[in-house]
Amino acid sequence: MYVRLEKLRQSFKGELDAILITRPENQRYLSGFRGGEGALLITQEKALVLTDFRYYDQVAEEAPDFELVKVEDRDSQALKRCLKELEVKALGFESTHLPFAQYQEWKKATRGTKWIPTRDMVENLRLIKDDQELAKMKKAIAIADTACDYIRGFIEPGMPETQVAWELEVHMRTHGAEGVAFSTIVAAGPNGAKPHAVPEDRQIKEGEPIVMDMGARLDGYHSDLTRTVCLGEPHARLQEIYDIVLQAQLAAEEGAKPGMTGQEVDALARAVIVEAGYGKQFGHGLGHGVGLAVHEGPKLGCQSREPLKPGMLCTIEPGIYLTDWGGVRIEDIVLFTSEGVEVLSRARKELRTR
């Protein structure tokens, strides 16, 4: 945690007297505190956690390097006292997270302090994962991989999507996950045309695409995995589209290199789908970063111009979606290395379940 704090301090030295951290993932990254209620106040010399009675013991256990500021009345008054004591004149805050009403209340209570909006100061530190983070991510990825491979032998024709989604979640929770990373998606047939479909009671049929998007959460870190499968013999069109999507994914995974932009990596996969005539049916970016948040930087998409660096984790998830027919998406998590990418997701990719 000390190294992370020092990097943050260097990023605002000479510009801010302190920075206020309110995003829960950023609080955990910097301090270890998992409560999410309250705020971190960081100066060049001090690191404080402001929170209420519910979290006093938790802060002591999880953030021993931080000083606890007990909020016993209004949080705005506790913050006012801290800023006065620390002589903070220029305070940075997380402009993309702090709610406007909260900002107004705190700013009013701390007249004499200039509130300066910041953007992605901690998120930029989180872009490159350290060895400890990678170890946690690999465990979370393995849990989802195992659940996905297990479900292939579980699904039967006539099962509702909701049953399959629940079985995936149970398997992850009973095999090491502290929870699921997000609401599990199981979308069969026409439902698969919705990239973020919600599982329904619709019964799964043979021969149709079944899109399954799942993830495990372990020690705060999230995995994200999608596979598309089929019960029995796939229809000819399904096999054709599946092969196109798989080819697109492999093109990106084999061609991605550090130094490329997210836009350039996206183009590797998109070119395959466009050439096959389905460009308009691939309407989202190729991927996103993943870690303490399911969706974080860096982004792989048509507007992503930042260079990719070793140590970054991204999903690579091309897809094709056809209204009233269904969809195909295949998603891996990859680690950017000094030479290319290492594919961390190991779940099987055969279209047929068995």
Side-chain angles (χ1 to χ4, degrees):
M1 300 298 177
Y2 175 79
V3 173
R4 297 173 184 178
L5 272 177
E6 288 307 301
K7 287 182 179 179
L8 178 63
R9 284 169 168 152
Q10 286 299 315
S11 70
F12 70 78
K13 188 175 183 179
E15 298 180 11
L16 304 171
D17 297 320
I19 188 167
L20 191 67
I21 305 299
T22 51
R23 184 176 181 180
E25 294 91 346
N26 291 344
Q27 292 182 37
R28 184 166 186 171
Y29 179 78
L30 293 170
S31 71
F33 175 50
R34 298 182 296 173
E37 293 286 340
L40 306 183
L41 181 62
I42 299 168
T43 71
Q44 291 298 325
E45 295 82 25
K46 291 272 192 176
L48 313 177
V49 181
L50 289 74
T51 193
D52 62 58
F53 173 81
R54 296 170 294 171
Y55 301 102
Y56 292 169
D57 289 346
Q58 193 171 335
V59 169
E61 293 174 2
E62 297 174 352
D65 296 330
F66 277 65
E67 179 182 337
L68 171 64
V69 176
K70 296 181 178 181
V71 177
E72 297 175 326
D73 43 15
R74 297 185 66 85
D75 50 14
S76 58
Q77 294 305 308
L79 179 60
K80 177 182 179 180
R81 290 191 293 271
C82 288
L83 296 182
K84 182 178 180 180
E85 180 182 331
L86 296 172
E87 299 181 344
V88 174
K89 302 300 181 184
L91 177 67
F93 68 97
E94 296 183 298
S95 62
T96 58
H97 179 268
L98 184 63
F100 185 62
Q102 186 79 79
Y103 162 76
Q104 286 183 307
E105 179 186 345
W106 286 355
K107 186 178 180 182
K108 183 178 180 181
T110 58
R111 289 174 178 161
T113 296
K114 184 177 182 181
W115 285 66
I116 301 173
T118 69
R119 187 183 180 94
D120 295 337
M121 292 188 73
V122 181
E123 286 83 353
N124 287 338
L125 299 179
R126 287 168 46 200
L127 287 173
I128 296 178
K129 305 298 188 282
D130 60 31
D131 290 344
Q132 186 180 43
E133 290 180 289
L134 288 175
K136 294 175 182 178
M137 284 296 303
K138 288 177 180 179
K139 289 180 181 178
I141 290 167
I143 291 170
D145 285 344
T146 302
C148 187
D149 286 345
Y150 158 77
I151 211 70
R152 286 175 170 271
F154 175 82
I155 305 178
E156 297 288 349
M159 280 186 178
E161 297 170 349
T162 50
Q163 182 180 356
V164 177
W166 176 247
E167 189 69 18
L168 280 167
E169 294 187 7
V170 169
H171 195 280
M172 288 188 286
R173 287 178 179 270
T174 56
H175 287 75
E178 64 186 22
V180 294
F182 50 87
S183 296
T184 302
I185 297 171
V186 175
N191 288 343
K194 297 173 282 189
H196 282 180
V198 176
E200 299 177 358
D201 289 333
R202 179 188 181 279
Q203 295 183 344
I204 297 172
K205 302 174 183 177
E206 289 190 359
E208 65 182 5
I210 309 165
V211 180
M212 303 184 298
D213 193 342
M214 70 211 75
R217 187 179 75 250
L218 181 67
D219 202 10
Y221 286 80
H222 303 78
S223 59
D224 195 356
L225 173 74
T226 304
R227 291 292 184 264
T228 300
V229 299
C230 173
L231 298 175
E233 192 67 29
H235 300 151
R237 190 181 194 190
L238 170 55
Q239 187 66 63
E240 174 200 359
I241 292 176
Y242 186 88
D243 290 343
I244 294 167
V245 173
L246 181 58
Q247 182 184 354
Q249 187 192 49
L250 294 175
E253 291 178 350
E254 293 170 2
K257 299 287 190 297
M260 295 176 69
T261 65
Q263 183 182 55
E264 290 170 331
V265 177
D266 177 276
L268 294 173
R270 197 168 299 276
V272 174
I273 294 176
V274 169
E275 185 177 352
Y278 291 101
K280 292 184 178 180
Q281 286 72 46
F282 178 26
H284 58 70
L286 180 64
H288 56 84
V290 60
L292 283 170
V294 179
H295 292 87
E296 59 183 46
K299 295 181 179 179
L300 306 182
C302 297
Q303 305 300 319
S304 305
R305 296 181 173 86
E306 294 299 318
L308 299 159
K309 300 177 181 179
M312 290 181 171
L313 287 177
C314 292
T315 65
I316 292 186
E317 47 180 309
I320 293 175
Y321 311 91
L322 303 173
T323 302
D324 297 327
W325 179 81
V328 172
R329 182 169 66 254
I330 310 172
E331 176 185 24
D332 291 333
I333 291 178
V334 304
L335 169 65
F336 276 81
T337 67
S338 60
E339 298 180 352
V341 299
E342 176 188 354
V343 180
L344 302 183
S345 302
R346 303 296 184 191
R348 293 164 53 194
K349 290 185 182 178
E350 296 90 348
L351 177 56
R352 292 188 59 165
T353 55
R354 52 187 181 273

